[in-house]
């Protein structure tokens, strides 16, 4: 049982070959097949993707061209028409899947519901009628701010069914953040709940929406799901209960077909300016990417019960709770609450109780489980599991080993999956039956993915050398643009290396072609799997009356991956105090959401700047990490500020 302790990626040299047993049953069971298909997918993408699109999607009208690529704009499957909701739900009706569970839901208080594909279709159809009766039309934007309950999935699919564009807003975002998103996309309808359950308490969602809606003129209607039964305020003429809206409505709905490139959803994510980016995904290409990757990466089988712990408010929830899984006819397990409620063994208990076969979670969660202690895991059998997944940040070899041994009992392969909100679906992952797993490596490129490591000039570097990761060819599930800001789309993703997509990540490729990701090279932080732009935090602080200037940086954190540290200089006459620091933290919580509250606020008379007035972030990162300030400081204007900041904590 005792494994040698592994303390760094450099020392973990073992590779884990797929077992013969796993390989025999795998959807893709040999390296040679993977290599052949991958070569075809990048060398003749039109053949490869044309074939996959015909095999995997249900078309109302066949497409005429596979790809139009006018850098940096892609159009996939032009001429084709389909309905995304039909591809996720209706296609399973009249088949053996009709009465199969589409969703098994467990609320935090312990309430369990199973929804079959047939029932899901009835719910989606009903809500689609409700939307249409409210005047929601194809192309209109609908915001969804719900807890992790089945209705969130129903709402997304009902939007897709009528061609409305959903924007799901994570339940941790503040009123201010919601307001900005609603105004940016001019949402007409908001779907929320009275509240959701988290750590035994009600998270009041409706009251947050009420505050956001004080200045969102585009919003006409709010549909409110009753979940927690806490007291809320219903605004006459604007708000309607979900159960009243759909009472007595028909549960069949004739779906229209939409163009392949019809917008499916906008998902806001952080970038390197203060304003979040509205990543736009469209219909056919996105769905194909999500479906095909889920099939191969998770090696999906008819009897799987799949549990992804990501919230529906993030891209992982979109692609690998909803679209990719339902399009494959899988059974998705959905959990509303916290992993340590009532005790830190909630996941393991649910895995046993529901006979979950696949678990997809994040390294930050794995580190929490490790910290909570093995005893919570050892209470449970976990013998239904057959495959584990990881996403969100590099998984350290220690966490990999623990996950493999304690959760997977040395039996389940772990697929690490690298991708982004913008990529729509997994782009790098080792297919579990095809190639050996290397702990700490994201893996090999998925079909259609032409990834490369380049230097500052965009020139490919030799294997084993660190550089920046780019994708040199378009792929079906790539973002199409940024909502209302195509110029930013072009500069953010295609500006650094003209003509190729820059991921923002540093990485290297080893001799076997595996990608090892080191993390973001831009000003985007990854805190417990949440993507937060430092500029967004700084913009929030700038609106506080006491703040003159600020800089937000990340510091390594053994639990969260990165922790947020903000450096602040105050306006003349404002005195520093603990109360002020706390107020600054709350202010960020109000402007963005409580998950963005910094771990540490450091106040000083000035920030380190170059003589031309640019804040020297490199120095702040070193101070935040408690390291000695090294490297070139010759352009620093005033050395005394460093000493002052080092003292302050
Ligand atoms: C960034 C994207 C895609 C779902 C979750 C986050 C980092 C993501 C991995 C991985 C190393 C990873 C990257 C990427 N990242 N997965 N398996 N190994 N790093 O989506 O918020 O769009 O963030 O997360 O830095 O750029 P996101």
């Amino acid at each position: 049982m005792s494994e040698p302790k592994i303390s760094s990626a450099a020392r973990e040299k073992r590779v884990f070959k797929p077992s013969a047993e796993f390989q025999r049953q795998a959807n893709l069971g040999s390296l040679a097949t993977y290599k052949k298909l991958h070569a075809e997918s990048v060398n003749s993408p039109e053949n490869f993707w044309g074939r996959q699109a015909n095999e995997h999607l249900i078309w109302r009208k066949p497409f005429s061209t596979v790809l139009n690529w006018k850098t940096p704009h892609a159009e996939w499957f032009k001429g084709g028409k389909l309905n995304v909701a039909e591809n996720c739900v209706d296609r399973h009706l009249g088949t053996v899947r009709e009465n199969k569970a589409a969703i098994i839901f467990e609320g935090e208080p312990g309430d369990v519901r199973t929804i079959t594909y047939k029932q899901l279709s009835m719910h989606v159809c009903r809500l689609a009628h409700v939307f249409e009766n409210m005047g929601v039309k194809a192309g209109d934007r609908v915001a969804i701010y719900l807890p992790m309950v089945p209705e969130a999935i129903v709402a997304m699919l009902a939007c897709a069914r009528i061609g409305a564009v959903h924007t799901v807003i994570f339940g941790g975002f503040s009123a201010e953040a919601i307001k900005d998103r609603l105004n940016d996309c001019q949402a007409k309808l908001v779907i929320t709940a009275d509240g959701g359950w988290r750590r035994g308490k009600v998270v009041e969602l409706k009251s947050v929406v009420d505050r956001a809606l004080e200045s969102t003129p585009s919003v006409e209607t709010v549909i409110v799901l009753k979940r927690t039964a806490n007291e809320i305020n219903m605004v006459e003429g604007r708000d309607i209960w979900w159960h009243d809206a759909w009472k007595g409505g028909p549960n069949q709905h004739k779906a229209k077909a939409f163009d392949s490139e019809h917008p499916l959803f906008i998902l806001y994510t952080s970038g390197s300016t203060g304003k979040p980016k509205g990543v736009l995904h469209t219909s056919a290409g996105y769905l194909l990417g999500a479906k095909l990757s889920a099939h191969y990466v998770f090696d999906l089988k008819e009897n799987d019960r799949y549990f992804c712990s990501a919230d529906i408010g993030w891209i992982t929830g979109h692609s690998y709770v909803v679209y990719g899984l339902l399009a494959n006819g899988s059974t998705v397990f959905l959990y509303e609450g916290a992993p340590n409620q009532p005790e830190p063994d909630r996941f393991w208990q649910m895995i046993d109780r529901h006979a979950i076969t696949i678990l997809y979670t994040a390294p930050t969660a794995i580190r929490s489980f490790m910290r909570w202690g093995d005893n919570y895991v050892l209470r449970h059998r976990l013998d239904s599991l057959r495959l584990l997944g990881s996403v969100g940040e590099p998984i350290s070899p220690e966490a990999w080993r623990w996950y493999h041994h304690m959760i997977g009992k040395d039996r389940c392969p772990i697929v690490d999956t690298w991708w982004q909100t913008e990529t729509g679906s997994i782009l790098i992952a080792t297919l579990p039956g095809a190639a050996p797993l290397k702990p700490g490596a994201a893996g090999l490129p998925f079909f259609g993915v032409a990834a490369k490591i380049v230097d500052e000039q965009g020139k490919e570097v030799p294997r084993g050398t660190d550089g920046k990761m780019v994708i040199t060819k378009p792929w079906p599930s790539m973002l199409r643009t940024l909502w209302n800001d195509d110029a930013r789309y072009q500069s953010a993703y295609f500006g650094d290396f003209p003509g190729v997509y820059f991921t923002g990540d540093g990485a290297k490729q080893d001799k076997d072609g595996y990608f090892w990701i080191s993390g973001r090279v831009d000003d985007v932080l990854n805190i417990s799997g949440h993507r937060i732009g430092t500029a967004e935090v700084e913009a929030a602080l700038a609106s506080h009356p006491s703040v003159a200037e600020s800089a937000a940086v990340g510091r390594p954190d053994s639990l969260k991956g990165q922790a947020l540290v903000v450096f602040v200089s105050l306006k003349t006459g404002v005195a520093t105090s603990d109360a002020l620091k706390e107020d600054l933290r709350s202010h960020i919580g109000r402007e963005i959401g409580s998950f963005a509250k910094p771990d540490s606020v450091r106040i000083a008379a000035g920030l380190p700047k170059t003589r031309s007035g640019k804040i020297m972030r490199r120095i702040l990162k070193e101070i935040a990490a408690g390291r000695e300030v090294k490297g070139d400081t010759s352009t620093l204007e005033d050395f005394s500020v460093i000493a002052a900041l080092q003292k302050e904590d």
Side-chain angles (χ1 to χ4, degrees), residues 430-449:
T430 307
L431 297 187
L437 303 166
K438 298 191 184 191
L444 295 166
F446 188 63
F447 301 136
V449 178

Side-chain angles (χ1 to χ4, degrees), residues 316 391-394 416-421 505 517 520 531:
T316 310
V391 61
E393 60 178 302
D416 192 0
T417 59
W418 179 92
W419 59 299
Q420 308 178 299
T421 305
D505 278 7
I517 314 291
R520 308 274 321 181
R531 182 159 150 187

Side-chain angles (χ1 to χ4, degrees), residues 269 314-316 360 363 390-395 416-423 428 440-442 503-505 517-520 524 526 529-531:
T269 187
W314 308 114
I315 190 71
T316 310
Y360 190 32
S390 173
V391 61
E393 60 178 302
I395 176 165
D416 192 0
T417 59
W418 179 92
W419 59 299
Q420 308 178 299
T421 305
E422 292 85 346
T423 70
I428 295 180
T503 61
D505 278 7
I517 314 291
S518 53
R520 308 274 321 181
V524 173
N526 187 332
H530 296 309
R531 182 159 150 187

Side-chain angles (χ1 to χ4, degrees), residues 127-365:
L127 195 62
H129 280 294
V130 170
F131 288 173
E132 283 177 343
N133 293 339
M134 284 173 174
V136 180
K137 298 200 172 54
D140 285 348
R141 273 78 60 205
V142 174
I144 299 174
Y145 185 69
L146 282 171
M148 281 287 279
V149 292
E151 286 81 359
I153 299 179
V154 173
M156 290 163 81
L157 292 169
C159 287
R161 190 165 187 101
I162 64 162
V165 183
H166 60 68
T167 186
V168 184
I169 303 174
F170 171 60
F173 277 111
S174 67
E176 197 61 29
I178 299 172
K179 183 197 82 188
D180 291 344
R181 285 157 176 74
L182 297 179
N183 285 335
D184 188 70
C185 72
Q186 292 288 295
K188 197 168 179 177
L189 167 67
V190 177
I191 304 167
T192 189
D194 46 1
W197 292 104
R198 188 89 193 167
R199 291 205 179 82
K201 293 201 183 71
V202 172
V203 179
E204 294 190 12
L205 298 173
K206 175 63 165 59
S207 62
V208 178
V209 168
D210 286 343
R211 261 179 286 131
L213 293 196
E214 282 164 16
S215 40
T216 54
S218 65
V219 177
E220 293 167 9
T221 315
V222 181
I223 298 180
V224 187
L225 178 78
K226 191 172 222 157
R227 167 72 188 141
T228 43
N230 48 309
E231 187 106 13
I232 60 163
N233 178 40
M234 293 291 281
V235 175
E236 184 75 38
R238 185 194 75 184
D239 302 351
I240 177 163
W241 285 106
W242 176 299
H243 54 261
D244 286 336
W246 84 341
K247 202 160 31 193
N251 54 24
Q252 287 190 337
H253 174 266
K254 218 164 150 340
K256 283 204 198 86
F258 297 97
D259 289 342
S260 294
E261 285 295 341
H262 186 77
L264 181 62
F265 64 85
I266 301 166
L267 188 55
Y268 287 90
T269 187
S270 296
S272 37
T273 73
K275 193 175 172 295
K277 307 190 272 199
V279 169
L280 180 74
H281 283 289
T282 58
S283 301
Y286 168 78
L287 186 63
L288 180 60
K291 182 176 181 218
L292 197 74
S293 56
H295 173 77
Y296 284 117
V297 175
F298 301 124
D299 189 48
L300 290 177
K301 295 288 161 4
E302 204 56 56
N303 290 331
D304 276 318
R305 286 164 176 237
Y306 163 97
F307 173 24
C308 166
S309 67
D311 194 277
I312 237 141
W314 308 114
I315 190 71
T316 310
H318 285 59
S319 303
Y320 301 111
V321 174
V322 186
Y323 292 109
L325 276 289
L326 298 178
N328 276 301
S330 297
T331 296
V332 172
F333 174 72
L334 192 71
Y335 171 57
E336 176 187 31
N340 53 352
Q341 181 65 28
E343 285 197 63
D345 67 341
R346 183 65 181 263
F347 276 20
W348 323 128
Q349 195 207 96
M350 293 190 301
I351 286 171
D352 275 5
R353 223 160 0 85
H354 298 287
I356 305 292
T357 60
I358 299 173
L359 172 66
Y360 190 32
T361 191
T364 184

Side-chain angles (χ1 to χ4, degrees), residues 382 385 388 402-413:
L382 304 184
L385 286 172
L388 305 173
W402 186 89
Y403 196 29
H404 191 253
H405 184 64
M406 285 303 295
I407 308 302
K409 311 293 178 198
D410 299 317
R411 176 188 74 235
C412 306

Side-chain angles (χ1 to χ4, degrees), residues 548-597:
E549 236 179 357
S550 74
V553 300
R555 95 169 160 221
D557 183 277
S558 63
L559 198 61
K560 300 175 169 184
Q562 279 187 303
L564 178 62
V565 179
V566 299
F567 294 90
V568 177
S569 69
L570 300 174
K571 285 191 180 150
T572 325
V574 181
T576 174
S577 69
D578 286 344
L580 176 62
K581 287 185 183 178
E582 199 39 51
D583 190 47
L584 293 174
R585 294 184 74 243
S586 315
H587 182 73
I588 295 171
R590 279 192 302 273
E591 292 288 311
I592 303 174
S594 51
F595 65 90
K597 283 185 182 173

